[in-house]
Amino acid sequence: MTKNDQTTIRQRFGRAIRRRRRGLDISQEKLAELAELHRTYISEIERGEVNPSLETIDRLAKALDTSIAQLFADYSIG
C-alpha cells in the first residue's frame, strides 16, 4: 500500500490547497474572499472534512491562480 492509498482524495486535495495557499503567502481569509467562500469552509476543505463540488474546486483553482489540472498535477492528487 502506498502513502496515497492511506489518505482519502479529500485529504490529499485539502493538503494541496493548503500548500498552494501557503506558497502564495495568503491567509485562509484572503483565499475565502478571492474564491467567494466562507473562511470556515476553506478550513474544512484543507482538513479534508468536506467534499467540495466541481464548481468550488474551480473557484479555488482560479483564486489560487492555477488551473484544476495543474493543481492536481503539481500536488499529485489523483
Side-chain angles (χ1 to χ4, degrees):
M1 183 180 280
T2 65
K3 184 176 181 184
N4 279 354
D5 293 334
Q6 297 172 1
T7 58
T8 68
I9 185 112
R10 289 188 324 216
Q11 291 169 322
R12 293 192 308 271
F13 180 74
R15 280 198 298 263
I17 294 298
R18 180 179 289 133
R19 286 174 55 200
R20 177 68 178 169
R21 175 180 62 77
R22 287 180 175 171
L24 295 173
D25 196 32
I26 61 175
S27 66
Q28 287 182 343
E29 290 85 358
K30 183 63 176 177
L31 177 56
E33 177 185 321
L34 292 169
E36 298 180 352
L37 298 167
H38 197 277
R39 192 217 41 92
T40 58
Y41 190 56
I42 299 295
S43 177
E44 291 170 338
I45 290 170
E46 289 187 355
R47 292 191 315 265
E49 295 178 353
V50 294
N51 192 16
S53 69
L54 288 173
E55 183 177 298
T56 297
I57 292 169
D58 184 55
R59 286 174 159 192
L60 288 167
K62 288 176 181 172
L64 293 168
D65 195 30
T66 191
S67 68
I68 295 172
Q70 200 63 50
L71 185 64
F72 275 66
D74 287 351
Y75 298 99
S76 303
I77 295 171

